[in-house]
Amino acid sequence: MSRKNGAELSLVDCQCYSSEVGADDRAVLDQIIDSLTSLANKKGNQGSATSVMNEIVVHVGLVHENGTENGVEARRKAAVLILGAGRVCRPAAELLASVTSISSWEWSQTSDQVESDEANEVEVIVASLFLKDAEEVIQGIPNARAIQLDVSDVGSLHKHVSEVDVVISLLPASCHSSVANACIELGKHLVTASYVDDSLLKLDENAKSAGVTILGEMGLDPGIDHMMAMKMINQAHSQGGKVWSFTSYCGGLPSPAAANNPLGYKFSWNPAGAIRAGRNPATFRSEGIEIHVSGDKLYDSATKIKLPGFPAFALECLPNRDSLVYGKLYGIMNEASTIFRGTLRFSKIMGAMAKLGFFDEEPHPVLGTPDKPTYETFTMKFLGIHTETSITIPEMDVAERIHAEGACQDQEIAIQTARTIIFLGLLERASIPSSCQSAFDVTCRRMEEKLVYSSTEQDMVLLHHEIQVDFPESRSTEKHVATLLEFGKTVKGRTTSAMALTVGVPAAVGALLLLANKIKKRGILRPTEPEVYNPALEMIKAYGIKLHEKIE
C-alpha cells in the first residue's frame, strides 16, 4: 500500500494478458470485475460498490495490443454496425454514439451534447449501398463513420460483421435472412425492427447453437407496442387478474397543425405501401365473436374513435390485419373475449377513392396510348365526366358524380373526396409520365408530390393500449391504459420524424442491451420477454420518448 497526494493506493491481484480478451471470455471478465469490486469495497473508499461500479465503464469488445498510454493497454470501443441509411438510421446512430457509460446507461440527449469530456463508449458504423447516403446520415454525429457496403457481396458483408459486436439491420425484411446467417456464422448478435418471418424462425436452432441472439420486431409497431402490452398483461396476471379485453390503436399521422389538406394525411415515404395496407383483410374478436373483414371492405369498416385524453383528435380506426395472432403471442387467446388492433387515420376519403378505382393496379387503356393523356383527361374519363369545354370542372360537379357512382352515401364525404381529387392535381392539365400505367401509379405519384411535409412541419405517432382486467377473488374490474404520443422534432434545421425516432431508438436500445449482456436468451427473440421489455421501456423513457401508464 502506498500514498500519493493524500490518496491511498492498494495493490490488488491483477493479471495482464497479452492475448485478446473478448466478451465471451467470461472467466477472465468475471475475475477483472471481482477485482474492481474488491477495490471499490476497500476501507476508506467513499460511496457504495454499486455507485463506484456505475462510474467504471466496462468495455464490450476486444482488448488489442495497438498501443499503450501510461502503461495501460488501449481498448477498442464497442462497435455497432447499422445496415441501411434511411430515415430511421440517424436516431439510432445518435443514441448509440452518445452513450458515455454502457454499464449505467448514461448518454447525452442530443448529438450537440455528445462532444463532452467523457469518452463515448460505442463506435457506430453506418453502411449503405451508396456511400453518400451513409455520410449524410452521420453528418454531425461524433464517433460515427460511414462505409459503402453491398450486403449481397457475402465476402464484404462477413468482413464488416466480423469487426463489430452487434449488427442492426434496417434493410428491407427480405435482406434479414442473409444478414442473420452471417451473424450466426460469426457469432454476432443482430437487431431488426421488422416482423419476424418464417425465414428467420427457421434459424432459431442455429442461432442458439452459436450463442447468438437475433432480436426482431424492435421498433414501434412492431416493438414498443409489444413491450407496453406485455408489461400490462404480465402485471395483471401476476396479481391474479384475467384479461377479458385487449384493444390497441396505433398510427403515424401528421400533427394536427400539419394535417392541412382535405385528406388529413401526409407521407414521409412512398405512399404505395400505406395504400396497399388499407386493402389487407383483417380478423379480430369482439365480445366473443370472431369477425373477418375482406380487403375490399376494409375502408368501409372504419369507425370514428375518440381516445381518452385526446379530445381534439378526430380519428378513425381501421382493423389491422389478424389481431388474433397477438392473442396467441401475448398469452390471452383463451381468456380475452375482445382482441382488437387498429390503425389510426384522420378520414374516410381513402375508402371513397378506393371504390372509385383510383387504387386499381391493372393497366389502364387510357394510359397505354401513344398520346400522353393529361391528369384531367384521365380523371374525367375515369369518372365518366363528359364535357366539350376547357372550363375547369367545378368541385360540386365532381362531388355529384362521386355520389352518383355510389362511392359513398354521405354527401359530405363526396364533397371532401372531390376536394381531395382537386387538391392532388388529378384535374390538372399536365401530362401524365409514361411510367404510370395504372390508376394506382397515377394516384401514388400525385400523392407523393402533393402530400409531403414541409421543412417546418411535424408528424406524430400515437400508440394507445387498453386492457380490461377482472380480479375474480376481489370481484373487481380495472382498466389499464398505456399511451405513447410523440411528435417530430426540428433541431438546427434538421427534422427528425416521430416515426423515425420511435423506430430507431428501440432498435438502438436493443443493441445496447445486447452489448451489456443484459439479454441472456439466445435464438430468435421478440421484445415480449421481461428481460427485454423491462429495461428497454425504462431506457426509451429516459431518452425522452413519452410513455404514459395509468389504471382506472
Side-chain angles (χ1 to χ4, degrees), residues 332-529:
I332 57 173
M333 191 66 177
N334 296 326
E335 62 185 276
S337 59
T338 294
I339 302 172
F340 179 86
R341 293 180 78 251
T343 300
L344 298 174
R345 292 289 184 266
F346 272 128
S347 76
K348 275 189 174 180
I349 297 170
M350 294 283 277
M353 293 188 70
K355 283 187 177 180
L356 290 168
F358 279 102
F359 303 147
D360 291 350
E361 297 191 52
E362 298 79 16
H364 196 282
V366 173
L367 298 171
T369 59
D371 298 330
K372 289 184 179 180
T374 64
Y375 289 103
E376 182 189 47
T377 56
F378 172 74
T379 302
M380 288 174 63
K381 288 182 179 179
F382 197 70
L383 294 176
I385 299 174
H386 302 284
T387 179
E388 300 297 328
T389 70
S390 58
I391 299 173
T392 301
I393 305 299
E395 176 187 293
M396 287 306 299
D397 287 359
V398 177
E400 287 174 10
R401 186 59 191 170
I402 291 169
H403 194 264
E405 287 287 318
C408 51
Q409 300 301 315
D410 190 321
Q411 183 67 26
E412 182 58 33
I413 298 297
I415 293 171
Q416 292 176 14
T417 304
R419 287 174 185 165
T420 299
I421 289 170
I422 294 168
F423 177 84
L424 291 175
L426 290 169
L427 287 174
E428 291 180 2
R429 288 167 187 160
S431 296
I432 298 175
S434 57
S435 59
C436 296
Q437 294 296 306
S438 67
F440 181 83
D441 294 339
V442 173
T443 306
C444 284
R445 186 176 185 87
R446 293 272 84 177
M447 285 184 168
E448 196 169 2
E449 293 170 348
K450 302 287 187 176
L451 301 179
V452 295
Y453 290 94
S454 73
S455 59
T456 59
E457 289 180 330
Q458 297 176 338
D459 71 328
M460 75 174 194
V461 165
L462 178 58
L463 170 61
H464 184 80
H465 289 332
E466 291 184 9
I467 65 170
Q468 302 280 352
V469 185
D470 277 339
F471 293 94
E473 291 187 4
S474 63
R475 296 184 178 180
S476 62
T477 300
E478 291 179 351
K479 182 166 79 170
H480 295 219
V481 179
T483 304
L484 177 156
L485 177 62
E486 188 67 33
F487 291 89
K489 295 177 173 62
T490 301
V491 179
K492 292 187 176 180
R494 181 187 287 270
T495 298
T496 301
S497 71
M499 184 62 71
L501 191 69
T502 53
V503 175
V505 166
V509 164
L512 285 174
L513 290 172
L514 289 166
L515 282 174
N517 200 26
K518 297 295 183 182
I519 299 174
K520 307 295 185 183
K521 191 170 182 180
R522 300 296 178 243
I524 309 301
L525 195 62
R526 294 179 176 93
T528 53
E529 305 285 341

